[in-house]
Amino acid sequence: MTRSNFRSSKPPSETAIVYCEGNFGGVDGKTANGLVRHSEKYEILSIIDSELVGQDAGEVLDGKPNGISICRDLDDALANAGRVPDCFIFGIAPASGMLSSAERQILLRAIAKGMNIVNGLHEFLNDDPEFAAASSESGVIIRDVRRPRDKKDLRVFSGKVMQVTCPRIAVLGTDCAIGKRTTATILASALKQSGINAILIGTGQTGLIQGARYGLALDAVPSQFCAGELESTIMEAFENEDPDVILIEGQGSLSHPAYSTSSFILRGSCPQGVILQHAPKRKHRCDFDGMPMPSPSSEIDLIEAFAKTKVIGLTINHEGMTDDEVSAAITCYEEELEIPSTDALARSPTRLVEMVLSALPQIGAQY
């Protein structure tokens, strides 16, 4: 397959090792996967995953080497780096959102080595006495990425998002860990390269760790405030950046009973358009073997019934697919759904730009 590369033009400010034991390239390794593909804040020196030791992380993910080595353990990663990096990032996103006892010990070792910890789990390590004491003793910082603002500062939905004059597009999906953030990131980059000022709102821990300028970990915010916090974040981006379009990263799936974040994204952003991400070869929902995947058409019907919006395109996650199968799926879905379809990673990002501008031509009217 041809591959789409996306990297920030701004050099990262900190170096990091990413821990992803037994999960790199898999569903639960999505934070590490995302950082290997795109990181504005951290220079990723290596990935820790003993099951893939010695391989190149870019080759494993996308068939194209990027010079990021996969190491056996922390000692191997430190030897590979030749120095102590600034940060140790926990790159696994388990369904439990909690550390195992073995993972606790690995993070404590990293702290003892003098590395700051970047933690995207629901478990806030600054609240853990053992981690608090260890970080104080070693003089390092623990960044609990998912921690929301204090409850007294949380904001409720006000309807002000309707004052945003540029279009808003949400990138939703038929499942969790299906590539919504990756597609949104590629789309934002491609629009910017076309001269369009696109601002991406991150809504999960991975996007925040990657360096999103605007965002929040929506699944850590009390439900009463989710729509309002997202709305306020969109307003901040609109007022500060004067964007031509605002993209909102999706979470979970509107039809998935285990996640409610997609509903808050639709309510809080009130998007004029939605791009839907789907994995044709995925038979069941992640972590739910008895729950079959929905069809794109059923998810589109649900989204358009739930919110005053329109699904403007379908993007494909090509897991388990050959290049010929991707091409066939694109053709099939375009005929069935009567909307543009593409694969953000395996096809030119130009198609994503065309998808957006054909549905919302006002975005590119001045270019």
Side-chain angles (χ1 to χ4, degrees):
M1 293 184 182
T2 57
R3 300 291 177 179
S4 171
N5 295 320
F6 52 104
R7 284 287 179 184
S8 170
S9 58
K10 182 181 178 181
S13 59
E14 298 179 82
T15 56
I17 291 170
V18 182
Y19 178 82
C20 196
E21 177 59 34
N23 286 280
F24 185 66
V27 170
D28 286 349
K30 65 178 185 179
T31 297
N33 302 343
L35 287 166
V36 164
R37 286 184 171 128
H38 173 76
S39 179
E40 298 183 35
K41 186 171 184 178
Y42 301 102
E43 178 188 354
I44 307 305
L45 302 181
S46 63
I47 302 295
I48 294 176
D49 187 344
S50 64
E51 295 183 6
L52 299 170
V53 64
Q55 298 187 52
D56 181 279
E59 181 72 36
V60 171
L61 275 187
D62 297 317
K64 186 172 184 178
N66 60 9
I68 298 176
S69 301
I70 302 180
C71 298
R72 184 179 307 280
D73 52 25
L74 179 57
D75 291 335
D76 187 21
L78 290 172
N80 176 77
R83 64 191 188 280
V84 176
D86 299 310
C87 299
F88 186 89
I89 302 175
F90 190 80
I92 305 173
S96 67
M98 309 293 281
L99 290 172
S100 68
S101 57
E103 290 164 348
R104 286 180 63 90
Q105 295 308 310
I106 291 166
L107 287 173
L108 288 168
R109 280 200 66 217
I111 290 173
K113 295 285 187 180
M115 301 171 67
N116 297 318
I117 300 299
V118 181
N119 167 42
L121 299 176
H122 284 291
E123 181 179 5
F124 300 148
L125 301 185
N126 280 297
D127 296 340
D128 185 299
E130 186 176 19
F131 278 101
S135 63
S136 177
E137 181 179 350
S138 296
V140 304
I141 297 170
I142 297 176
R143 298 168 185 161
D144 288 319
V145 176
R146 258 190 172 119
R147 185 187 291 275
R149 66 178 68 232
D150 291 340
K151 285 187 178 180
K152 63 182 177 61
D153 298 321
L154 291 171
R155 298 158 291 188
V156 296
F157 185 79
S158 67
K160 290 182 179 179
V161 73
M162 299 303 184
Q163 299 173 13
V164 174
T165 55
C166 70
R168 301 172 301 283
I169 300 172
V171 181
L172 305 183
T174 54
D175 197 9
C176 64
I178 204 167
K180 299 178 288 289
R181 173 184 38 76
T182 297
T183 290
T185 303
I186 294 174
L187 175 58
S189 177
L191 287 168
K192 290 175 184 176
Q193 290 175 17
S194 299
I196 295 168
N197 185 16
I199 299 297
L200 174 59
I201 307 295
T203 58
Q205 76 279 10
T206 302
L208 298 178
I209 295 172
Q210 285 177 317
R213 284 182 293 160
Y214 297 94
L216 69 162
L218 198 61
D219 63 358
V221 176
S223 60
Q224 180 180 353
F225 302 99
C226 283
E229 281 293 293
L230 178 57
E231 177 191 48
S232 296
T233 302
I234 290 171
M235 293 299 298
E236 290 165 5
F238 175 66
E239 292 165 358
N240 294 341
E241 306 294 339
D242 188 27
D244 298 312
V245 60
I246 294 176
L247 308 175
I248 303 96
E249 173 199 2
Q251 295 293 320
S253 166
L254 186 60
S255 65
H256 201 310
Y259 305 103
S260 57
T261 40
S262 284
S263 62
F264 296 129
I265 287 168
L266 286 167
R267 293 301 189 223
S269 67
C270 299
Q272 287 90 346
V274 170
I275 292 173
L276 184 67
Q277 179 94 359
H278 179 64
K281 284 292 186 77
R282 191 176 291 188
K283 300 300 183 184
H284 55 77
R285 311 267 199 173
C286 289
D287 300 319
F288 293 85
D289 292 350
M291 192 179 294
M293 284 285 291
S295 66
S297 60
S298 67
E299 194 76 22
I300 290 170
D301 289 344
L302 181 60
I303 290 168
E304 294 183 348
F306 183 83
K308 187 179 179 181
T309 191
K310 183 73 175 176
V311 176
I312 63 173
L314 181 79
T315 49
I316 289 172
N317 177 326
H318 58 246
E319 60 185 38
M321 301 176 72
T322 66
D323 192 63
D324 287 344
E325 287 174 328
V326 170
S327 295
I330 288 172
T331 300
C332 178
Y333 286 130
E334 287 189 335
E335 292 176 354
E336 175 192 348
L337 304 174
E338 298 182 336
I339 55 175
S341 179
T342 190
D343 182 323
L345 276 171
R347 296 294 182 269
S348 170
T350 301
R351 182 60 171 156
L352 280 174
V353 174
E354 293 170 348
M355 179 185 291
V356 168
L357 298 186
S358 64
L360 299 165
Q362 66 268 35
I363 295 173
Q366 57 185 311
Y367 296 99

